[in-house]
Amino acid sequence: MALIVNLDEDRIRVYDRQDHTRFINLPGAVMVGAHDEFLIIDTAEQHCVLGVHFKPGGAYPFLDMPADELRGELLTIEGSLRDRMLEVATPAGRCRAMEAALLEKARLEKARLELRPDVFAAIASLERSSSLPETTRSFTQRFRRTVGLTPKTYARVRRFQSTLRRIAQPGDVDWTDIALSCGYYDQAHFNHDFRAFSGINPSTYLEKKTPHLYHVPI
């Protein structure tokens, strides 16, 4: 999950998934929920952007709702957050202003009482391995409300991200080796997940890849 503030213009343009012929304009400050599919953004007006990238489960203390209610969504941030950032002249000062705004919003006592250590233990385990142990329905609900995705979907996203890191390494790309080493059952399973998360096939990604692993130009 992430918090994005466009400091250059008071808008953020994203591709309309319902109407594939147009972009839609959002106000200049949005909370980005956990996504399990690709998103197309217009970068033309985003020359000066301040972003906060939350660790898995890290956005929970700042939300007025369970994290899974924002799954795949971009929520407009009401109020004066963007104006507060613009009142400060330097990048470092804007980062401090954002930190202060977040601390004002944080409900740390609520988070301390409600967040479960088993959820974060599972997150740590999935960082080391994409394999998912058997889970109960109640655990899946706690995980989903904290992280924004189910444990199974979160594991798939992390496996896909590990694939992109492998592709970024020097040398020729052996797709079969990458698929197997990253935990996919076979090449078909790998190709399916790759297209589901990125919207393109692995070869197209390789042609268009940039130093920013999770962004390609289209």
Side-chain angles (χ1 to χ4, degrees):
M1 300 183 69
L3 173 60
I4 305 296
V5 181
N6 185 352
L7 298 171
D8 189 55
E9 294 190 41
D10 191 13
R11 70 175 187 178
I12 294 175
R13 279 162 46 94
V14 297
Y15 193 61
D16 186 350
R17 290 193 179 118
Q18 303 303 317
D19 181 351
H20 292 178
T21 64
R22 68 186 182 98
F23 282 88
I24 57 175
N25 289 332
L26 300 172
V30 297
M31 174 69 81
V32 183
H35 276 60
D36 57 349
E37 57 182 358
F38 65 91
L39 179 68
I40 301 175
I41 62 175
D42 181 5
T43 61
E45 78 281 5
Q46 297 184 32
H47 300 294
C48 184
V49 176
L50 174 62
V52 179
H53 182 225
F54 297 97
K55 292 182 178 181
Y60 185 87
F62 308 98
L63 300 176
D64 296 322
M65 63 192 74
D68 59 319
E69 291 188 17
L70 283 176
R71 176 176 176 172
E73 299 292 336
L74 289 90
L75 178 69
T76 298
I77 302 297
E78 304 291 350
S80 61
L81 177 64
R82 182 173 180 273
D83 292 336
R84 288 179 64 173
M85 302 302 106
L86 292 174
E87 290 172 357
V88 184
T90 66
R94 286 172 172 171
C95 288
R96 289 192 293 270
M98 174 63 80
E99 181 182 44
L102 287 172
L103 289 174
E104 291 171 11
K105 178 69 174 177
R107 298 175 298 165
L108 299 180
E109 183 63 18
K110 175 180 181 293
R112 186 184 68 79
L113 294 173
E114 295 183 4
L115 292 177
R116 296 290 296 267
D118 55 348
V119 170
F120 291 94
I123 291 172
S125 176
L126 288 170
E127 294 301 310
R128 297 188 296 269
S129 170
S130 60
S131 60
L132 183 70
E134 187 173 345
T135 59
T136 64
R137 179 177 297 179
S138 60
F139 172 79
T140 297
Q141 182 182 39
R142 292 195 302 274
F143 191 101
R144 188 181 69 238
R145 288 168 63 88
T146 304
V147 177
L149 302 172
T150 66
K152 182 177 180 180
T153 302
Y154 179 83
R156 288 179 59 216
V157 170
R158 280 310 202 199
R159 182 167 53 199
F160 170 69
Q161 291 175 333
S162 70
T163 299
L164 298 187
R165 290 193 294 271
R166 283 289 307 274
I167 295 172
Q169 295 176 5
D172 295 333
V173 175
D174 184 330
W175 293 117
T176 301
D177 178 65
I178 287 178
L180 295 176
S181 63
C182 290
Y184 291 95
Y185 299 123
D186 51 37
Q187 193 73 30
H189 182 210
F190 168 74
N191 290 335
H192 174 272
D193 264 21
F194 201 103
R195 180 175 287 277
F197 289 131
S198 70
I200 56 179
N201 60 46
S203 297
T204 301
Y205 174 86
L206 191 61
E207 294 171 2
K208 295 179 175 291
K209 73 172 184 174
T210 73
H212 308 285
L213 296 185
Y214 309 137
H215 297 82
V216 294
I218 60 171

